[in-house]
Amino acid sequence: MESDSQKFAPLPPDPVKPPLPYFKDPASHCWPGIHFTEHICLYLTIDFTNKRLNGRAIYKVRKLEKAEQLELDIRGIHIKSVTDPKGNNLSYTAKEDESPVGGILSIHIPTSKSPTTEFIVSYETDGCGGGSPAGGACDWLSPPQAGGQPFIFTQAQAIHARSIFPCQDTPAVKAPYTAIVSVLPPYQHLPVVMSAQRMPSASDDPVGSTRFHCAVPIPSYLFALACGSLNSRSLSPRCMVWAQPDVIDAASEEFADVENMLATAEELAGPYVWGRYDLLVLPASFPYGGMENPMLTFVTPTLIAGDRSLVNVIIHEIAHSWAGNLVSCRDSCHFWVNEGFTVKLERRILSKMYGSGLEGLAAIAGRQTLDEYLAAVGEHHKTTSLVTKLKDGEDPDDYFSCVSYEKGYNFLLWLEHCVKEDYGADFHEFLREYFQKFKYQSISSQDFINMFQKTFPKTAEEVDVDLWLHGTGKCPDLAPVDTSLVEEASSFAKQWLSFFAGNGDEDEESVYKRAEESFKDWRSKFGEWESKQKLCFVKELQANIGEGASINKGVVWNAKCASVMQAMCDFNSTRNSEIRFAWCRIALKAKYEKALETVKDFVSTQGRMKFIRPLFKDMYHIYPRGTYAKELFDSLKDSYHSIARKMIEKDLALEQ
């Protein structure tokens, strides 16, 4: 019989503070101020043949108020039994719901004098939400989709952990966990990796199982699992990369500098408490650029550009080890507390490692992305405030956008600018203290503001904090950044825009010859630019062609222009996915037919939502009645993660 010491690890030296009894996350059914999860021990069996997870979850829960009903979030989970540690059945009801937040497992907890209670839930699930329109965490890939062997991976953020196991699926709850994972024949040879430390097996663990332990408390959305044909390469004593056999060599080369990134982050933010920092390069259907699962960051293969030009995404995920993972947002309304702080730390790491010019490039690119989003949804749209207006029962995925990242970053950058002027202080020294003060905790925006006001009262009085946090639309103020690299790219873009304003009725060959002559000096210089500078150039073009352009109103951006630019710059062959994406968007805007094959190839070979959602929307607008976009999506949707399918279906339906 497994001992308590094997099931439950010691709590951290700074215990997680539960919220007040009346706290309610609008995206969860649980009441963590009444019952608060202290630990979960999870026995999981992966059944590739039937695409099912069979589970037995052992919970230790702190009782904070007198209440005999305990609620857990579920979605698409079939409950088999609920018992106490002695095997006695506990009364429960499991009610599924078609709403985005899913259903409720309500358990009757007998009255006792103990401050904690334990119970066991046995269940099974497909991990995909059981057909719910809200989707689920798991992506089950068939052997042909994954290079010859089946593959499973999870994506639990924002509220999809409830499709893997019953849980208090809110970031207000942070708990350590233990997992013992088995794989059914004939795939028992496939390795399992998790967002936890691999541990020696206990004496009564199932034969062939793998034991994991995450000793640092985490919110449920950071629970992560993957299993498939995987190889690994060591990058440093505490860093390793995992990937499929045909990707592992390129991945280990691309991410070779991870240890230096992690060490630089520690210098800025404080000790790294997680022990290991490993990477897992997932199959192409992974819907995000990266996911900051502790001890095992999940990343998209679109980061493998061959020149390490997209490693800022890895820096972003490393920064999450402090912002988001160590100090977490209390609920999805305060999601910027995770992402805005992460982008701020990420760009400071960029500056420290590679110079302030790259930080400036990233900052300006982020502002352009934010401006594009605001132009698309409108200045007063509910998703454009930092503290979101998420209501009970709404899907947090519907609020996911660049606002938390870029508006959050610019808020912190403005505070840094003002603090330097008012106090001559280093804002990142304050952030280091912030991470220390709130480590292991889940906080609201006001918790940060209270600490800031106490530390910098003069600045806090001058800055309109309420407008930043709750106002919709653009950033109230923008702090200066290093624009040296931006200005060079912008100058080149303006020359091209002026050139296109005068091409008139010339045939394509004549325009190309003029371009060769006009840009012969720039052409060689452009080839030597950093990839991020090339991306800045393309985004400057994108921001200033068509409706709403702030300069060069006379630009006629058409297929002829795009064809000439492709001949001069050869964007179609770039391995940098960010540049390729930006180029695809402006090529589609030009109705450049030859670019359609590039776009089709791009959306067919990866499922990263940052890329595929805008491209499908662009195709919908540009081609009659959106039929091309819908037909292409219909042919590809089964290759995408359920989260991506859900969001694209909403995008295309909204456009109707």
Side-chain angles (χ1 to χ4, degrees):
M1 192 71 179
E2 187 176 39
S3 69
D4 282 348
S5 63
Q6 290 172 322
K7 285 189 303 186
F8 304 128
L11 293 176
D14 299 289
V16 182
K17 298 172 185 174
L20 295 173
Y22 54 78
F23 168 77
K24 181 72 164 54
D25 183 332
S28 172
H29 295 295
C30 72
W31 292 90
I34 296 175
H35 294 105
F36 191 84
T37 302
E38 284 195 343
H39 198 288
I40 298 174
C41 181
L42 188 62
Y43 289 82
L44 271 180
T45 301
I46 300 172
D47 180 355
F48 277 115
T49 302
N50 297 300
K51 296 184 178 179
R52 305 290 289 179
L53 295 174
N54 292 291
R56 182 166 65 94
I58 307 171
Y59 302 81
K60 179 186 280 187
V61 175
R62 195 186 327 170
K63 296 183 292 185
L64 302 167
E65 297 285 322
K66 289 183 179 179
E68 294 186 352
Q69 290 300 122
L70 182 152
E71 289 81 20
L72 299 177
D73 296 302
I74 56 173
R75 186 192 295 146
I77 290 180
H78 170 63
I79 305 298
K80 295 179 179 179
S81 67
V82 181
T83 64
D84 66 18
K86 294 181 179 180
N88 300 312
N89 289 326
L90 297 179
S91 176
Y92 72 91
T93 58
K95 180 183 178 183
E96 282 287 0
D97 195 297
E98 285 299 307
S99 76
V101 297
I104 310 172
L105 173 61
S106 183
I107 302 170
H108 178 78
I109 302 295
T111 302
S112 73
K113 294 181 179 180
S114 173
T116 63
T117 186
E118 292 183 29
F119 58 91
I120 303 165
V121 179
S122 295
Y123 66 94
E124 65 174 323
T125 178
D126 63 0
C128 302
S132 166
C138 292
D139 200 3
W140 297 88
L141 303 180
S142 66
Q145 290 175 304
Q149 298 282 2
F151 201 104
I152 180 178
F153 70 86
T154 63
Q155 171 55 40
Q157 196 177 45
I159 56 169
H160 304 296
R162 64 193 65 182
S163 68
I164 310 173
F165 60 101
C167 57
Q168 292 185 306
D169 200 3
T170 167
V173 175
K174 300 176 79 170
Y177 79 88
T178 300
I180 300 92
V181 186
S182 305
V183 184
L184 290 183
Y187 301 110
Q188 68 272 27
H189 60 285
L190 295 177
V192 178
V193 291
M194 294 193 74
S195 55
Q197 176 69 50
R198 192 180 299 264
M199 303 293 288
S201 295
S203 58
D204 59 348
D205 283 355
V207 176
S209 64
T210 308
R211 176 176 282 259
F212 297 90
H213 185 61
C214 179
V216 182
I218 61 168
S220 53
Y221 74 81
L222 290 178
F223 176 91
L225 172 148
C227 177
S229 179
L230 291 169
N231 289 350
S232 63
R233 295 280 191 279
S234 178
L235 302 176
S236 79
R238 59 176 175 173
C239 300
M240 179 179 288
V241 61
W242 293 81
Q244 291 175 282
D246 61 334
V247 177
I248 188 64
D249 289 337
S252 60
E253 173 63 28
E254 198 79 11
F255 306 130
D257 207 27
V258 164
E259 175 61 41
N260 288 337
M261 299 172 188
L262 186 56
T264 304
E266 284 187 289
E267 289 178 28
L268 292 168
Y272 180 75
V273 304
W274 305 89
R276 293 200 59 81
Y277 182 82
D278 294 344
L279 295 165
L280 170 63
V281 182
L282 284 167
S285 60
F286 182 56
Y288 297 103
M291 180 62 209
E292 62 272 17
N293 304 310
M295 292 176 267
L296 188 69
T297 284
F298 284 10
V299 296
T300 169
T302 63
L303 300 187
I304 301 175
D307 59 0
R308 304 182 186 176
S309 58
L310 295 173
V311 293
N312 64 295
V313 174
I314 305 301
I315 295 175
H316 179 90
E317 305 310 333
I318 286 173
H320 265 304
S321 302
W322 290 267
N325 294 7
L326 191 62
V327 181
S328 307
C329 64
R330 189 186 63 185
D331 55 55
S332 293
C333 297
H334 302 276
F335 186 55
W336 83 274
V337 169
N338 286 14
E339 297 299 346
F341 282 80
T342 296
V343 176
K344 185 70 184 74
L345 181 54
E346 167 204 345
R347 289 178 183 164
R348 175 56 72 92
I349 296 169
L350 264 179
S351 178
K352 189 173 180 63
M353 292 186 72
Y354 307 113
S356 60
L358 275 184
E359 181 181 12
L361 269 177
I364 297 300
R367 290 173 183 178
Q368 289 172 330
T369 300
L370 181 60
D371 287 344
E372 291 166 16
Y373 180 77
L374 295 176
V377 302
E379 285 278 333
H380 302 295
H381 196 270
K382 64 181 182 179
T383 61
T384 66
S385 61
L386 271 185
V387 178
T388 70
K389 299 174 179 13
L390 183 72
K391 296 178 181 177
D392 281 348
E394 285 190 312
D395 190 344
D397 284 340
D398 291 342
Y399 285 79
F400 183 83
S401 75
C402 63
V403 171
S404 295
Y405 297 74
E406 299 302 340
K407 196 172 184 180
Y409 163 77
N410 279 289
F411 176 37
L412 297 175
L413 191 68
W414 181 249
L415 292 181
E416 179 178 42
H417 172 71
C418 295
V419 161
K420 189 172 183 179
E421 287 200 335
D422 291 343
Y423 293 91
D426 183 348
F427 185 69
H428 275 264
E429 284 297 319
F430 166 74
L431 288 188
R432 189 183 176 99
E433 294 173 10
Y434 160 84
F435 294 134
Q436 179 64 26
K437 176 180 174 65
F438 293 115
K439 65 182 179 181
Y440 308 124
Q441 308 305 321
S442 300
I443 69 168
S444 70
S445 304
Q446 194 59 48
D447 292 316
F448 162 69
I449 295 302
N450 290 344
M451 181 179 176
F452 183 84
Q453 288 174 332
K454 187 175 181 180
T455 310
F456 304 113
K458 182 176 186 293
T459 306
E461 183 69 27
E462 295 168 349
V463 175
D464 192 338
V465 170
D466 190 66
L467 181 61
W468 271 103
L469 293 180
H470 303 288
T472 57
K474 293 183 177 181
C475 301
D477 299 285
L478 291 173
V481 295
D482 183 341
T483 59
S484 55
L485 296 179
V486 176
E487 287 165 2
E488 191 175 18
S490 179
S491 173
F492 190 27
K494 288 174 182 176
Q495 288 187 44
W496 269 100
L497 290 164
S498 297
F499 176 82
F500 287 139
N503 69 63
D505 296 325
E506 284 181 274
D507 60 78
E508 186 176 315
E509 185 177 352
S510 298
V511 176
Y512 177 71
K513 287 181 178 178
R514 278 204 308 115
E516 277 198 312
E517 180 62 29
S518 298
F519 301 113
K520 61 183 179 183
D521 293 334
W522 271 108
R523 196 173 191 179
S524 59
K525 185 181 292 188
F526 182 75
E528 297 171 357
W529 277 2
E530 270 258 3
S531 294
K532 291 180 178 63
Q533 204 169 5
K534 291 179 180 179
L535 176 62
C536 181
F537 163 70
V538 181
K539 290 182 76 68
E540 278 288 314
L541 291 176
Q542 184 180 1
N544 290 291
I545 55 178
E547 296 179 9
S550 59
I551 60 173
N552 294 289
K553 300 289 186 182
V555 172
V556 177
W557 177 249
N558 54 29
K560 177 171 59 179
C561 301
S563 179
V564 168
M565 180 158 281
Q566 164 58 26
M568 290 284 289
C569 302
D570 193 21
F571 288 124
N572 285 342
S573 65
T574 181
R575 291 180 60 189
N576 184 295
S577 56
E578 294 282 356
I579 296 174
R580 195 178 188 197
F581 167 62
W583 165 247
C584 283
R585 296 203 72 185
I586 63 173
L588 282 173
K589 186 175 283 190
K591 297 188 178 180
Y592 178 41
E593 293 289 337
K594 290 182 179 179
L596 269 181
E597 283 305 309
T598 300
V599 175
K600 183 178 178 181
D601 176 71
F602 198 32
V603 300
S604 301
T605 53
Q606 51 82 35
R608 187 175 174 186
M609 288 195 293
K610 176 182 180 179
F611 298 149
I612 60 177
R613 286 185 66 189
L615 288 174
F616 273 110
K617 286 195 282 189
D618 288 349
M619 286 186 282
Y620 183 92
H621 280 302
I622 290 162
Y623 291 91
R625 296 180 300 281
T627 53
Y628 184 87
K630 289 185 175 182
E631 289 171 4
L632 181 58
F633 172 66
D634 192 58
S635 71
L636 296 173
K637 63 184 180 182
D638 289 341
S639 68
Y640 295 148
H641 191 281
S642 63
I643 300 173
R645 287 198 300 272
K646 170 185 71 174
M647 300 311 294
I648 295 172
E649 284 167 356
K650 288 183 179 181
D651 291 339
L652 298 183
L654 286 172
E655 303 296 343
Q656 279 184 321

